Amino acid sequence: MVELSNVANRGVSSSVISATSIDFARNFPPPSPLIGDLLALAFDELEGPDIAAAIRFPRFAGTARDRAAAASWVARRLGIAPDPERIILSNGSQSILVMLLASLVQPGNVLLTEELTYAAIKPIVSLFGIKLLPIKMDDEGLIPDALDSACIKIGRAPRALYCMPTLHNPTGATMSIERRADVAEVAKRHNLWIFEDDIYGILPETAPLPLYTFAPERTWYILGLSKSLAAQLRVAYTVAPSETMARQVFWPGVKTTNWMVAPLIAEVATRWVEQDAANAILRSVRTETNVRQEIIRKSLPSWAIRVPPFCYHIWLELPPAWSAAEFEQAVRRQGVVIAPGDSFSAIPGGFAARFRIGIGVPSDHQTLRAGLDILNNTRDQIASS
């Protein structure tokens, strides 16, 4: 590995180093200028005794009104509004996954996932004693033949597939419609549950239909708001294969877990969907994301940038002899935080020369450019050393 410590503080102006790091490690949508005014308006509308009573108690899976709003929002991806009785509101997709794994996979069994996956998956399966089996990927994401081979390998053991077919995290890959049909066919043939995380799927103006549309009888479809609209909206909508399955999986956890969405957050989310404010926020996030992508292309001229429109996480590669972990330490000393590839790898030590940056967290373009300059300068210094 190339030694990076000797370049960690060379050529960097102290003016770009602050007590608060420039955060490229977390992945949230860029700030929308609409959020402040919409929140203020929402809280004005929420004043009075009626709303105090409405948010006094837990809403568990959501009220009938919450689920109706959720169905209308989810319809933007599914093409049709699902039965609201099959919808669960939760405090985020991570809570949904905890409930699904605990109920449908269980300790000692197998979860299949892409070889690069949501960073929270590894600690969750470890907590439950579930085996994680990575599936090879290509530029479109999960490879159906590799999934088929893995299913044959594990035989009849109970198992499920967790995947992110649209704007995959961390690679940004999106499966074609043909690929989705093939993955769904493999899942049917091997009787797999599918946990489809479509948290970024609503960002593109057009995207292939979700896996759910090919195998609704076995797919748990998850569409969150915190990664598409605003970090303040920690709400996820999940469409279960049936109303009965929704109750069987989630209601036992009411007294033992904290998957339920906070009533106040649910109320704000429902109002924004009903009033079309959510759509206005989504448009502003799309616009700002593409502006930030252009800043990246201009700020990182030495890097191969391959990122689809509306995607605000970027998967970058270092030369093979370089370690992303060491690169991460070098830029951290200069006030920038990134996410090394190993944190997404289902295999320990995998993808050691890659890392992800999320361009949505920096509060403004000046901060974004300052952080990108540090990445670019550090890379150039390494190359010339």
Side-chain angles (χ1 to χ4, degrees):
M1 298 293 180
V2 174
E3 177 57 51
L4 305 185
S5 58
N6 62 332
V7 300
N9 294 304
R10 286 167 39 193
V12 179
S13 168
S14 60
S15 63
V16 301
I17 301 175
S18 65
T20 303
S21 295
I22 298 174
D23 185 358
F24 289 147
R26 292 184 297 169
N27 206 34
F28 290 106
S32 166
L34 303 176
I35 295 293
D37 289 343
L38 287 171
L39 279 174
L41 178 61
F43 289 135
D44 283 344
E45 294 174 346
L46 292 174
E47 290 181 353
D50 291 343
I51 192 59
I55 65 173
R56 181 183 177 193
F57 298 112
R59 291 161 92 138
F60 297 119
T63 64
R65 179 170 149 258
D66 292 332
R67 294 194 302 275
S72 70
W73 187 253
V74 168
R76 299 169 64 99
R77 287 291 291 128
L78 302 184
I80 187 171
D83 180 354
E85 295 305 313
R86 293 166 55 200
I87 293 178
I88 299 289
L89 267 69
S90 76
N91 66 358
S93 57
Q94 189 169 330
S95 292
I96 290 291
L97 291 170
V98 166
M99 295 300 294
L100 293 178
L101 290 169
S103 179
L104 300 176
V105 182
Q106 301 179 342
N109 293 321
V110 177
L111 177 70
L112 301 105
T113 188
E114 297 105 334
E115 59 185 335
L116 287 159
T117 189
Y118 175 38
I121 288 294
K122 288 190 291 184
I124 293 175
V125 298
S126 177
L127 179 67
F128 284 119
I130 291 169
K131 301 171 186 176
L132 193 62
L133 184 58
I135 308 299
K136 276 292 195 182
M137 300 173 63
D138 61 15
D139 290 343
E140 280 194 35
L142 185 72
I143 300 173
D145 286 346
L147 176 62
D148 187 56
S149 296
C151 289
I152 294 171
K153 177 181 178 181
I154 62 176
R156 298 180 61 84
R159 67 276 199 198
L161 167 68
Y162 167 77
C163 63
M164 193 176 291
T166 305
L167 298 186
H168 172 266
N169 179 22
T171 67
T174 293
M175 291 184 188
S176 65
I177 201 75
E178 295 79 12
R179 174 70 60 90
R180 293 168 195 244
D182 289 344
V183 169
E185 182 57 36
V186 173
K188 292 176 182 179
R189 188 160 62 248
H190 294 283
N191 197 27
L192 284 176
W193 288 113
I194 299 173
F195 305 155
E196 181 178 15
D197 190 344
D198 201 33
I199 197 162
Y200 303 106
I202 206 162
L203 288 170
E205 291 178 340
T206 58
L209 287 170
L211 282 172
Y212 172 91
T213 61
F214 295 95
E217 78 287 351
R218 66 185 59 255
T219 302
W220 295 78
Y221 175 79
I222 306 167
L223 180 61
L225 300 183
S226 66
K227 296 296 180 74
S228 57
L229 299 183
Q232 296 93 329
L233 281 184
R234 190 165 178 80
V235 180
Y237 303 141
T238 299
V239 183
S242 69
E243 178 183 351
T244 300
M245 286 297 302
R247 291 183 174 275
Q248 286 177 347
V249 169
F250 285 91
W251 280 103
V254 166
K255 294 184 178 180
T256 57
T257 69
N258 191 32
W259 59 264
M260 293 76 69
V261 67
L264 181 59
I265 299 300
E267 182 67 28
V268 171
T270 294
R271 285 172 178 258
W272 282 2
V273 171
E274 290 174 337
Q275 298 168 359
D276 208 35
N279 193 43
I281 296 169
L282 178 60
R283 289 196 300 267
S284 71
V285 167
R286 287 169 171 167
T287 298
E288 177 63 14
T289 295
N290 287 345
V291 169
R292 292 186 177 216
Q293 283 190 0
E294 188 58 30
I295 291 173
I296 278 196
R297 292 185 182 96
K298 292 179 179 178
S299 298
L300 302 181
S302 302
W303 302 73
I305 306 292
R306 296 187 299 274
V307 58
F310 312 111
C311 184
Y312 54 78
H313 55 268
I314 317 295
W315 187 234
L316 295 172
E317 185 173 10
L318 292 163
W322 299 359
S323 160
E326 289 185 312
F327 187 81
E328 187 268 342
Q329 293 173 13
V331 298
R332 182 185 288 271
R333 294 187 187 103
Q334 301 168 72
V336 172
V337 185
I338 61 174
D342 182 55
S343 60
F344 304 98
S345 176
I347 302 172
F351 298 90
R354 286 183 176 265
F355 63 95
R356 189 201 72 184
I357 61 171
I359 61 175
V361 173
S363 58
D364 53 53
H365 295 170
Q366 180 180 357
T367 303
L368 175 64
R369 289 190 180 96
L372 294 173
D373 285 346
I374 289 173
L375 297 183
N376 204 54
N377 292 341
T378 303
R379 184 186 191 278
D380 289 347
Q381 291 160 12
I382 295 167
S384 62
S385 62

